[in-house]
Amino acid sequence: MRIAIAKEIEVEVGEHRVALIPDIVARLVKQGLEIWVESGAGEASFFSNDAYEAAGAKIIHDAATLWGEADILLKVGVPKEHEINQMREGSVLISFLNPLGLPEVAQHLANRKITAFGMELIPRTSRAQSMDALSSQAGVAGYKAVLIAAAALPKFFPMLTTAAGTIKPAKVFVMGAGVAGLQAIATARRLGAIVEAFDIRPAVKEEVQSLGAKFVEVKLDEETVAAGGYAKEVSEVSKQRTQEVVAEHVKNADVVITTAQVPGRKAPLLVTEEMIAQMNPGSVIVDLAAEQGGNCAGTEPGKDVVRHGVTIIGPINLPSSMPIHASQMYAKNISTLLQYLVKDGELQLNFDDDIIGSTCVTHAGEIRNQRVKEALDQVRAAV
Ligand code: NAD
């Protein structure tokens, strides 16, 4: 079984991660797998060809050979059309595929008869925890968001008692307390800020409090949690009610970190233009939902903009800005899935297994995932 690691070429999102790191390659080679690594695949994450070779991998200089002769190809970012065209029928691709946002890529994979697994579709269950790349990468993003905010804030985060007077700690308000939000809370607390957090799912209250932050509660008259524990899109009445409550907390914050997402939908607008106008000049907003439409009025993906004296930062692909640890964690996730799929040198495709069934996007010329099919129908209807 030949496993190949492609060099990431998603220049538009500045992809610096790599799908497997040398330590994990060494473990897979010990298990009898043949590993090919495209020359320079680890360069942007500081893993050299030499390190991969020392781990037992073969370095391949020609991308077309690597893509064309792999049994299973491992990647981070969504593959490009020309890359998919180089793959053999019946070969396997494991990568982030953004199948709900880019269902046409899934269609192309199906047309090429590739068996493709989307890392974003790993179920959020305890059994699949070590494969959960959404969580590992969201943790990186949450951490980095706070560092970006701290660097942009014209104030200290911690309280300081000095001969030059006492400095009050910064106030941080985290909106959306999922994996990224919880890591943002923990990081802001470690830097000494006073932290408040809000989430539409009341169940996160205890987790927020256990990290030493205050939970901002909004009582709504509807269910806010959908299947799988994800947030639901709520009614206009609930959105209005939420905005009334959170407005005061946004106003008092030095830093607002927004992380709210609803799977398959545009990100909810949480911070309105009016709220920004109420904030103190010099305050900072980091909008982690920038790529999904933004949680904040005025967010521009990949840019810093200033509105009413408030800096709004809309970073894209933050995990890639810490490529060593982001790649290490992703490599653990993807290699665990790989080992789950390959038993005794053979690919085991038991679609009744919840991990395999829900993660497989295309197989034998078909799109297998119902939500991806629906997303594709919508794209076609819009043309
Ligand atoms: P996400 O990235 O989809 O969304 C981030 C957060 O935004 C979520 O907490 C969500 O509730 C919140 N949000 C959505 N709309 C909002 C709004 N209008 N206002 C405020 N907040 C809003 O979330 P995620 O971090 O991927 O986590 C999603 C779910 O998966 C959670 O239930 C989490 O506990 C669960 N999870 C389970 C496991 C596991 O069991 N292994 C691992 C990770 C996550």
Side-chain angles (χ1 to χ4, degrees):
M1 179 76 59
R2 181 178 296 144
I3 316 296
I5 302 154
K7 185 174 159 88
E8 302 296 322
I9 56 166
E10 298 78 22
V11 280
E12 64 279 12
V13 293
E15 187 56 72
H16 289 159
R17 291 169 291 177
V18 62
L20 284 187
I21 64 164
D23 276 0
I24 303 238
V25 167
R27 274 184 237 165
L28 296 174
V29 168
K30 259 195 206 127
Q31 290 167 19
L33 295 172
E34 181 185 356
I35 311 273
W36 281 14
V37 176
E38 188 174 343
S39 180
E43 213 169 77
S45 42
F46 307 97
F47 300 108
S48 65
N49 282 354
D50 289 351
Y52 283 105
E53 264 181 329
K58 184 172 170 189
I59 303 297
I60 306 294
H61 292 274
D62 174 40
T65 305
L66 179 114
W67 282 84
E69 295 186 22
D71 295 310
I72 302 184
L73 199 127
L74 307 181
K75 231 186 137 324
V76 180
V78 182
K80 301 283 184 210
E81 196 174 333
H82 76 271
E83 292 176 318
I84 296 171
N85 288 343
Q86 291 169 340
M87 293 185 80
R88 271 189 298 115
E89 268 189 19
S91 60
V92 175
L93 171 71
I94 313 178
S95 180
F96 278 124
L97 296 174
N98 189 7
L100 297 178
L102 297 170
E104 57 279 17
V105 174
Q107 182 61 65
H108 190 53
L109 287 161
N111 294 346
R112 298 275 302 113
K113 299 199 171 51
I114 309 298
T115 300
F117 292 88
M119 288 301 287
E120 52 279 90
L121 297 178
I122 296 278
R124 311 304 276 282
T125 57
S126 324
R127 210 161 72 87
Q129 225 165 3
S130 53
M131 308 174 196
D132 183 355
L134 277 187
S135 287
S136 69
Q137 305 303 299
V140 178
Y143 168 83
K144 193 66 187 274
V146 172
L147 299 192
I148 289 174
L153 187 72
K155 286 184 165 188
F156 281 108
F157 258 45
M159 186 182 100
L160 295 180
T161 310
T162 79
T166 300
I167 304 285
K168 284 190 195 159
K171 289 184 188 151
V172 174
F173 186 33
V174 176
M175 303 178 82
V179 181
L182 291 171
Q183 187 56 250
I185 294 169
T187 306
R189 289 284 302 141
R190 283 184 208 118
L191 285 176
I194 294 177
V195 185
E196 293 185 325
F198 162 70
D199 197 289
I200 200 106
R201 294 180 297 121
V204 296
K205 178 178 177 178
E206 276 178 30
E207 283 176 272
V208 167
Q209 289 175 335
S210 72
L211 292 170
K214 186 180 156 221
F215 187 67
V216 172
E217 246 168 304
V218 183
K219 297 252 182 284
L220 298 177
D221 299 328
E222 66 176 295
E223 184 52 73
T224 56
V225 184
Y230 285 101
K232 266 178 38 180
E233 187 168 14
V234 291
S235 64
E236 283 308 316
V237 175
S238 292
K239 283 182 191 161
Q240 189 61 39
R241 171 89 197 101
T242 305
Q243 287 189 358
E244 282 163 17
V245 177
V246 299
E248 196 59 23
H249 299 269
V250 171
K251 180 179 161 192
N252 294 329
D254 297 300
V255 167
V256 175
I257 311 263
T258 64
T259 77
Q261 300 203 25
V262 178
R265 298 281 168 97
K266 187 175 177 296
L269 179 72
L270 303 182
V271 182
T272 62
E273 183 84 36
E274 296 74 46
M275 290 185 204
I276 299 168
Q278 294 288 312
M279 293 177 79
N280 286 320
S283 304
V284 175
I285 300 174
V286 178
D287 188 348
L288 283 191
E291 282 168 272
Q292 285 75 35
N295 291 144
C296 177
T299 296
E300 289 188 36
K303 293 202 177 137
D304 298 0
V305 293
V306 179
R307 294 268 182 118
H308 309 284
V310 175
T311 303
I312 305 164
I313 303 172
I316 52 172
N317 199 2
L318 267 192
S320 170
S321 70
M322 291 188 25
I324 294 182
H325 279 152
S327 300
Q328 180 184 324
M329 293 160 104
Y330 185 77
K332 170 74 183 170
N333 299 142
I334 201 166
S335 63
T336 308
L337 176 62
L338 177 72
Q339 288 163 292
Y340 194 76
L341 289 170
V342 178
K343 301 262 160 65
D344 302 321
E346 294 290 327
L347 188 67
Q348 311 279 329
L349 288 183
N350 171 15
F351 291 117
D352 293 333
D353 177 282
D354 70 321
I355 297 176
I356 298 173
S358 50
T359 311
C360 185
V361 180
T362 61
H363 177 63
E366 301 284 340
I367 295 183
R368 290 189 48 85
N369 183 299
Q370 188 53 34
R371 288 174 65 211
V372 178
K373 281 188 196 163
E374 286 164 16
L376 190 65
D377 288 344
Q378 280 175 13
V379 169
R380 285 180 176 153
V383 174

